[in-house]
Amino acid sequence: MKVIISGGGTGGHIFPAISIANAIKENHPDAQILFVGALGRMEMQRVPAAGYDIKGLPICGFDRKHLLNNFKVLYKIWKSQRMAKKILREFRPDVAVGVGGYASGPTLNTAASMGIPCLIQEQNSFAGVTNKLLAKKAQKICVAYEGMERFFPAEKIMLTGNPVRQSLLHCDLSHSEAVSSFGLDPTLPVALIIGGSLGARTINNSVLAHLDDIRATRVQFVWQTGSYYHAEILRQLAEKGCPANLKVMDFISDMGAAYRAADLVISRAGASSISELCLLGKPSILVPSPNVAEDHQTHNAMALVRREAALIVKDADAPAQLIPLAISTLSDPVQLYTNLGANAKKMALPDSANIIAQEVEKLATHKL
């Protein structure tokens, strides 16, 4: 079985793609898998690191601010389609999988025109432009949220959930051991603050604005600042003093331990993050990023908020409200946060990667 997997641009697209590939290889060790990504984007490093070959296309998004630059974009789209056709002719896949992102457009468009069956996986509750355009040509559309008939033909939709990093689900540490591994007190509550591998400016500024509140509470914080902001944050903490109950890290390599230690998670509302929170049954305060297409993170967050599975703070309100809300939530004598976690767990869709891999196999064997 030969499978092309295309897309990327962010971890939210890449982690599910790699999880699907791993599930395919687990079921079919002799399967050949080739990724197609966008040159200069993070998939060009992350995919080879996971052990898979990848081809890069010169594709990029439209420049809405400088319209004249889009002549170059149109040329890159044309060139990417020609390159995609060459890749597909040489590799001769039985099925093509698109996970969203620039590269999946020309790859799956070309695959469909060549009679190769296509499956797309939409991570968000508000469908991306590329996947909406590809939906008519795809045989199967795997989604993570209910109500996606707004965007896709109902007869093609399958509710599968989002594949997540498998390492998160197999942490051998107890809660106490995980808390201790961060040098914190296992008898006190822990809030985990994550803004992504590069960090999130608003979330970081929200912490810096409330160092005295953190210092005065019994709640402990594990704070992933992101590599981009870390040096400046350390400089500010040297001036203001770092509270003893605040553990500051640029990047957390063992997220399984971090999630196990956390009684509450403060996070952006990317699709992969939300799927992880639900599978692990973690209470959360979500701060949707305002810098994403069609405000899809707010739609993701509200899917949980409506089921009392998370709290939400708008990005603009976070500097004033985020840390006080985290402290009050973890200080709640009726433990509101445990109810949030239980409701999040009810929304989890486990084994997503295997379910999607089985659908890929069905399409591939049908073609054969």
Side-chain angles (χ1 to χ4, degrees):
M1 185 166 67
K2 290 186 172 184
V3 183
I4 285 257
I5 301 178
S6 185
T10 67
H13 293 310
I14 297 164
F15 290 138
I18 292 172
S19 294
I20 294 167
N22 290 343
I24 292 169
K25 290 292 280 187
E26 195 170 315
N27 297 333
H28 297 275
D30 58 344
Q32 296 179 48
I33 299 174
L34 177 65
F35 280 75
V36 179
L39 289 170
R41 307 290 287 190
M42 64 190 294
E43 60 263 27
M44 301 306 295
Q45 285 76 45
R46 295 289 177 89
V47 169
Y52 294 101
D53 292 332
I54 187 168
K55 301 281 188 181
L57 304 179
I59 189 81
C60 62
F62 283 99
D63 189 337
R64 292 180 173 86
K65 293 181 180 178
H66 307 95
L67 296 179
L68 291 177
N69 288 347
N70 289 319
F71 287 109
K72 292 180 184 176
V73 175
L74 290 170
Y75 171 73
K76 288 182 177 181
I77 291 172
W78 174 81
K79 186 175 180 182
S80 294
Q81 286 175 330
R82 286 178 61 88
M83 289 175 66
K85 193 167 190 175
K86 184 173 185 291
I87 292 166
L88 289 161
R89 278 180 170 166
E90 289 177 354
F91 187 68
R92 298 176 63 195
D94 301 303
V95 59
V97 178
V99 296
Y102 298 136
S104 63
T107 306
L108 267 75
N109 256 324
T110 306
S113 71
M114 295 170 68
I116 298 165
C118 298
L119 177 149
I120 59 177
Q121 197 252 333
E122 174 56 60
Q123 298 92 24
N124 293 293
S125 63
F126 198 93
V129 173
T130 302
N131 278 348
K132 282 192 281 190
L133 292 172
L134 292 171
K136 291 179 182 177
K137 300 179 179 181
Q139 278 71 37
K140 183 68 70 174
I141 302 168
C142 297
V143 301
Y145 294 89
E146 295 174 349
M148 297 302 285
E149 298 83 4
R150 299 178 288 161
F151 308 107
F152 304 128
E155 68 277 7
K156 296 181 179 182
I157 293 174
M158 183 174 183
L159 185 65
T160 61
N162 282 325
V164 302
R165 293 171 283 182
Q166 296 305 302
S167 60
L168 301 181
L169 306 176
H170 304 296
C171 177
D172 295 327
L173 299 177
S174 68
H175 173 73
S176 294
E177 290 169 339
V179 175
S180 298
S181 73
F182 289 96
L184 299 174
D185 185 343
T187 66
L188 298 177
V190 175
L192 171 65
I193 305 170
I194 46 176
S197 57
L198 294 177
R201 183 191 300 273
T202 301
I203 292 177
N204 288 341
N205 288 342
S206 302
V207 179
L208 291 170
H210 291 276
L211 293 176
D212 289 338
D213 292 329
I214 292 171
R215 198 173 280 114
T217 184
R218 289 172 63 79
V219 174
Q220 304 173 108
F221 291 82
V222 176
W223 179 19
Q224 179 180 270
T225 64
S227 55
Y228 184 80
Y229 301 102
H230 192 62
E232 172 59 22
I233 285 168
L234 290 183
R235 187 191 67 76
Q236 292 195 46
L237 288 174
E239 290 179 5
K240 300 174 181 179
C242 183
N245 55 336
L246 178 64
K247 174 77 174 181
V248 186
M249 308 171 74
D250 63 336
F251 180 74
I252 300 172
S253 56
D254 189 350
M255 281 302 299
Y259 275 127
R260 182 61 58 88
D263 296 291
L264 178 73
V265 179
I266 296 169
S267 173
R268 287 300 198 190
S272 290
S273 297
I274 285 185
S275 294
E276 291 169 359
L277 292 168
C278 289
L279 277 168
L280 297 169
K282 286 295 170 182
S284 61
I285 302 175
L286 301 172
V287 187
S289 171
N291 306 312
V292 294
E294 297 168 307
D295 197 26
H296 68 251
Q297 286 203 6
T298 296
H299 294 279
N300 291 348
M302 289 307 299
L304 272 68
V305 172
R306 281 192 290 269
R307 296 198 183 185
E308 298 183 351
L311 303 175
I312 188 171
V313 174
K314 291 181 180 178
D315 189 82
D317 297 333
Q321 298 178 8
L322 182 58
I323 297 304
L325 178 60
I327 292 170
S328 66
T329 301
L330 284 174
S331 304
D332 190 326
V334 298
Q335 292 194 312
L336 159 71
Y337 61 92
T338 58
N339 292 331
L340 294 173
N343 290 337
K345 187 76 172 175
K346 292 174 187 174
M347 295 181 66
L349 293 166
D351 210 27
S352 299
N354 269 320
I355 294 169
I356 296 169
Q358 288 167 15
E359 293 304 308
V360 172
E361 179 189 352
K362 287 178 188 175
L363 288 176
T365 51
H366 177 70
K367 176 177 180 290
L368 293 171

